[in-house]
Amino acid sequence: MTAPASSALPARPYFPGTRALTPVSKVLRLCLHALFLGLLALAAGRAVTDSAPRAGWVIAACAVLAAVYAGGVRAPAVHSSPRAGALWLAGLGAAWAALLVVCPDGLWIAFPLYFLELHLLRLRWGVTAVAVTACAAIAGFLAHSSSVTPGAFLGPLLGGAVAVATVLGYQALYRESERRRELIEELITTRAELAAAERGAGILAERERLAREIHDTLAQGLSSIQLLLRAAERALPTEAPALEHIARAREAAQENLAEARRFVRALTPPDLERGSLAAALERLCAGVPGPRVRFSLSGSPRVLPTPYEVALLRIAQSALANVVRHARAGRAEITLTFMDASVTLDIVDDGHGFDPSSVASGAGDGGFGLPAMRSRAETLGGLFTVESAPGQGTAVAVTLPLPLEHLENTAHTAHTAHAAHADHANHAVRPDAVEAL
């Protein structure tokens, strides 16, 4: 009897050959062996002690049945192949049927056979084999008995029912144990990934903080020193002895300013090293797994201060991560808008949405990262808003006002470039003006 390949997965036998046994499995295996061989010994012993007319045939049938059983237990193919297991059970059933013909005590072997059939065959075939075995046991008993009693029917049938209930209960416990084991392994893996992500986030946050500090303090201070030295150099007479020292001080300030800017570039996130913020966002949208994400740019792009670009990129990454993990969205869109005095980033998806008030303080399913995004925006004086409702998607928007000095520097750069172009047209460009650019 073979099991079709399309059925459910086969139940695990008590004595698998390829996987280490648990203590419970070892005990069950030993109990099954002991039960089977003990019942065979009992049948052979009764035939000898009772001086049965067919005692020799009974002993021979018991020996053959024991040999077939031992051969299947020690054969690796029986444990790994449903077909080989079914063939072994067929041989075991044939030997058992021969024992039933010569000895009525052979029906006791039906009980361990129930467990073997349920564990080596797929469920529906195992139950069918149990029913056939019970009928064979009843027929063997009736063949050797001169009277028909209810026990002849109830014994094998109740034994088969108990075996089926026991095996089904064991399999349910096994599946539950496997689910818990997989859950624990997944939890351990998730915790390790979370710890690695937190370490990476901490490293990136520290790099961004150092980049902001260097940009806002050392670099700005060195730039101011250079401008002051330039002003002092112009204020002194041409033959002043201090001019040489001022020139060296300017060179040192220039070199240190260049070094500070190299530090800032080295500490900038790698996504921003390969181009502008818009290019980084476009690459981010193209690499998102799952939903289709589109990027659009509005307004006249301009170079933003490094802290602003880093904050907007991190907010976009966090928002898209939420879309992938929580929103179950089919589409999402990121829009970067440049305005005269501010820059806005919008992330919209068509997912199932949520109640923003439930995660406003980091509650809910991990807080969705909203507090971290809000903190980044508010650190730069920006405004962070979330609009969502269950079943209506989510819209995240952050608006960062550009610092006044950045606007002044942008305007000054444009004015200086225009003036330099005019001076160049008049062939009156001063070397120190070119250096200032």
mmCIF file of all heavy atoms in Angstrom, residues 226-246:
data_model
loop_
_atom_site.group_PDB
_atom_site.id
_atom_site.type_symbol
_atom_site.label_atom_id
_atom_site.label_comp_id
_atom_site.label_asym_id
_atom_site.label_seq_id
_atom_site.Cartn_x
_atom_site.Cartn_y
_atom_site.Cartn_z
ATOM 1 N N GLN A 226 39.248 83.323 8.020
ATOM 2 C CA GLN A 226 39.836 83.646 6.720
ATOM 3 C C GLN A 226 39.355 85.001 6.201
ATOM 4 O O GLN A 226 40.148 85.805 5.670
ATOM 5 C CB GLN A 226 39.501 82.539 5.728
ATOM 6 C CG GLN A 226 40.265 82.658 4.415
ATOM 7 C CD GLN A 226 39.900 81.551 3.464
ATOM 8 O OE1 GLN A 226 38.838 80.968 3.587
ATOM 9 N NE2 GLN A 226 40.771 81.273 2.505
ATOM 10 N N LEU A 227 38.061 85.287 6.375
ATOM 11 C CA LEU A 227 37.533 86.567 5.931
ATOM 12 C C LEU A 227 38.138 87.718 6.729
ATOM 13 O O LEU A 227 38.463 88.783 6.185
ATOM 14 C CB LEU A 227 36.014 86.561 6.055
ATOM 15 C CG LEU A 227 35.270 85.632 5.077
ATOM 16 C CD1 LEU A 227 33.776 85.641 5.385
ATOM 17 C CD2 LEU A 227 35.522 86.062 3.636
ATOM 18 N N LEU A 228 38.283 87.521 8.048
ATOM 19 C CA LEU A 228 38.884 88.571 8.878
ATOM 20 C C LEU A 228 40.338 88.807 8.495
ATOM 21 O O LEU A 228 40.815 89.962 8.453
ATOM 22 C CB LEU A 228 38.766 88.194 10.360
ATOM 23 C CG LEU A 228 37.343 88.197 10.938
ATOM 24 C CD1 LEU A 228 37.336 87.634 12.348
ATOM 25 C CD2 LEU A 228 36.778 89.618 10.937
ATOM 26 N N LEU A 229 41.066 87.749 8.235
ATOM 27 C CA LEU A 229 42.463 87.915 7.821
ATOM 28 C C LEU A 229 42.555 88.613 6.474
ATOM 29 O O LEU A 229 43.468 89.415 6.224
ATOM 30 C CB LEU A 229 43.141 86.541 7.758
ATOM 31 C CG LEU A 229 43.403 85.856 9.102
ATOM 32 C CD1 LEU A 229 43.932 84.446 8.896
ATOM 33 C CD2 LEU A 229 44.415 86.667 9.932
ATOM 34 N N ARG A 230 41.606 88.309 5.583
ATOM 35 C CA ARG A 230 41.585 88.985 4.293
ATOM 36 C C ARG A 230 41.332 90.484 4.484
ATOM 37 O O ARG A 230 41.978 91.331 3.846
ATOM 38 C CB ARG A 230 40.509 88.376 3.400
ATOM 39 C CG ARG A 230 40.524 88.933 1.967
ATOM 40 C CD ARG A 230 39.307 88.451 1.213
ATOM 41 N NE ARG A 230 39.234 87.002 1.179
ATOM 42 C CZ ARG A 230 39.904 86.251 0.308
ATOM 43 N NH1 ARG A 230 40.669 86.841 -0.602
ATOM 44 N NH2 ARG A 230 39.793 84.952 0.321
ATOM 45 N N ALA A 231 40.392 90.800 5.390
ATOM 46 C CA ALA A 231 40.114 92.216 5.653
ATOM 47 C C ALA A 231 41.337 92.910 6.262
ATOM 48 O O ALA A 231 41.665 94.055 5.914
ATOM 49 C CB ALA A 231 38.909 92.343 6.581
ATOM 50 N N ALA A 232 42.027 92.220 7.202
ATOM 51 C CA ALA A 232 43.234 92.804 7.802
ATOM 52 C C ALA A 232 44.320 92.993 6.764
ATOM 53 O O ALA A 232 45.049 94.001 6.771
ATOM 54 C CB ALA A 232 43.720 91.905 8.938
ATOM 55 N N GLU A 233 44.444 92.057 5.867
ATOM 56 C CA GLU A 233 45.457 92.146 4.820
ATOM 57 C C GLU A 233 45.208 93.348 3.918
ATOM 58 O O GLU A 233 46.158 94.042 3.519
ATOM 59 C CB GLU A 233 45.445 90.854 4.008
ATOM 60 C CG GLU A 233 46.570 90.757 2.977
ATOM 61 C CD GLU A 233 46.518 89.449 2.223
ATOM 62 O OE1 GLU A 233 45.405 88.929 2.013
ATOM 63 O OE2 GLU A 233 47.586 88.949 1.842
ATOM 64 N N ARG A 234 43.960 93.626 3.609
ATOM 65 C CA ARG A 234 43.640 94.755 2.754
ATOM 66 C C ARG A 234 43.806 96.073 3.493
ATOM 67 O O ARG A 234 44.100 97.115 2.884
ATOM 68 C CB ARG A 234 42.213 94.640 2.244
ATOM 69 C CG ARG A 234 42.011 93.497 1.263
ATOM 70 C CD ARG A 234 40.561 93.370 0.871
ATOM 71 N NE ARG A 234 40.365 92.295 -0.107
ATOM 72 C CZ ARG A 234 39.190 91.870 -0.534
ATOM 73 N NH1 ARG A 234 38.082 92.445 -0.053
ATOM 74 N NH2 ARG A 234 39.104 90.895 -1.422
ATOM 75 N N ALA A 235 43.605 96.043 4.843
ATOM 76 C CA ALA A 235 43.696 97.286 5.606
ATOM 77 C C ALA A 235 45.136 97.724 5.839
ATOM 78 O O ALA A 235 45.390 98.911 6.079
ATOM 79 C CB ALA A 235 42.965 97.115 6.943
ATOM 80 N N LEU A 236 46.095 96.811 5.800
ATOM 81 C CA LEU A 236 47.484 97.151 6.070
ATOM 82 C C LEU A 236 48.165 97.723 4.835
ATOM 83 O O LEU A 236 47.777 97.409 3.701
ATOM 84 C CB LEU A 236 48.231 95.903 6.531
ATOM 85 C CG LEU A 236 47.849 95.358 7.925
ATOM 86 C CD1 LEU A 236 48.577 94.055 8.193
ATOM 87 C CD2 LEU A 236 48.181 96.377 9.006
ATOM 88 N N PRO A 237 49.178 98.567 5.065
ATOM 89 C CA PRO A 237 49.954 99.072 3.922
ATOM 90 C C PRO A 237 50.646 97.944 3.176
ATOM 91 O O PRO A 237 50.879 96.861 3.725
ATOM 92 C CB PRO A 237 50.983 100.015 4.583
ATOM 93 C CG PRO A 237 50.406 100.337 5.925
ATOM 94 C CD PRO A 237 49.604 99.169 6.347
ATOM 95 N N THR A 238 50.995 98.223 1.951
ATOM 96 C CA THR A 238 51.587 97.195 1.106
ATOM 97 C C THR A 238 52.910 96.690 1.646
ATOM 98 O O THR A 238 53.234 95.502 1.515
ATOM 99 C CB THR A 238 51.804 97.752 -0.316
ATOM 100 O OG1 THR A 238 50.579 98.292 -0.797
ATOM 101 C CG2 THR A 238 52.278 96.650 -1.257
ATOM 102 N N GLU A 239 53.684 97.560 2.302
ATOM 103 C CA GLU A 239 55.006 97.185 2.795
ATOM 104 C C GLU A 239 54.984 96.775 4.255
ATOM 105 O O GLU A 239 56.059 96.642 4.874
ATOM 106 C CB GLU A 239 55.972 98.370 2.616
ATOM 107 C CG GLU A 239 56.109 98.865 1.185
ATOM 108 C CD GLU A 239 56.667 97.785 0.268
ATOM 109 O OE1 GLU A 239 57.418 96.911 0.758
ATOM 110 O OE2 GLU A 239 56.337 97.807 -0.928
ATOM 111 N N ALA A 240 53.825 96.528 4.839
ATOM 112 C CA ALA A 240 53.747 96.170 6.262
ATOM 113 C C ALA A 240 54.387 94.808 6.496
ATOM 114 O O ALA A 240 54.148 93.868 5.733
ATOM 115 C CB ALA A 240 52.307 96.178 6.738
ATOM 116 N N PRO A 241 55.249 94.674 7.566
ATOM 117 C CA PRO A 241 55.915 93.382 7.840
ATOM 118 C C PRO A 241 54.917 92.274 8.197
ATOM 119 O O PRO A 241 55.213 91.091 8.008
ATOM 120 C CB PRO A 241 56.836 93.697 9.010
ATOM 121 C CG PRO A 241 57.013 95.191 8.992
ATOM 122 C CD PRO A 241 55.730 95.750 8.470
ATOM 123 N N ALA A 242 53.757 92.668 8.710
ATOM 124 C CA ALA A 242 52.806 91.632 9.166
ATOM 125 C C ALA A 242 52.083 90.943 8.020
ATOM 126 O O ALA A 242 51.412 89.925 8.241
ATOM 127 C CB ALA A 242 51.773 92.265 10.112
ATOM 128 N N LEU A 243 52.199 91.477 6.812
ATOM 129 C CA LEU A 243 51.471 90.898 5.693
ATOM 130 C C LEU A 243 51.872 89.437 5.437
ATOM 131 O O LEU A 243 51.024 88.587 5.105
ATOM 132 C CB LEU A 243 51.678 91.726 4.432
ATOM 133 C CG LEU A 243 50.916 93.053 4.359
ATOM 134 C CD1 LEU A 243 51.290 93.810 3.095
ATOM 135 C CD2 LEU A 243 49.411 92.790 4.379
ATOM 136 N N GLU A 244 53.176 89.169 5.608
ATOM 137 C CA GLU A 244 53.639 87.794 5.366
ATOM 138 C C GLU A 244 53.010 86.825 6.366
ATOM 139 O O GLU A 244 52.563 85.728 6.009
ATOM 140 C CB GLU A 244 55.165 87.753 5.467
ATOM 141 C CG GLU A 244 55.736 86.360 5.200
ATOM 142 C CD GLU A 244 57.257 86.356 5.302
ATOM 143 O OE1 GLU A 244 57.850 87.442 5.468
ATOM 144 O OE2 GLU A 244 57.829 85.250 5.214
ATOM 145 N N HIS A 245 52.951 87.239 7.647
ATOM 146 C CA HIS A 245 52.353 86.365 8.663
ATOM 147 C C HIS A 245 50.845 86.203 8.425
ATOM 148 O O HIS A 245 50.293 85.110 8.624
ATOM 149 C CB HIS A 245 52.600 86.954 10.055
ATOM 150 C CG HIS A 245 54.056 87.108 10.377
ATOM 151 N ND1 HIS A 245 54.895 86.031 10.620
ATOM 152 C CD2 HIS A 245 54.842 88.213 10.472
ATOM 153 C CE1 HIS A 245 56.124 86.459 10.875
ATOM 154 N NE2 HIS A 245 56.118 87.804 10.790
ATOM 155 N N ILE A 246 50.207 87.296 7.990
ATOM 156 C CA ILE A 246 48.763 87.197 7.704
ATOM 157 C C ILE A 246 48.514 86.249 6.537
ATOM 158 O O ILE A 246 47.562 85.448 6.555
ATOM 159 C CB ILE A 246 48.190 88.599 7.418
ATOM 160 C CG1 ILE A 246 48.197 89.445 8.690
ATOM 161 C CG2 ILE A 246 46.766 88.493 6.866
ATOM 162 C CD1 ILE A 246 47.739 90.870 8.477
#
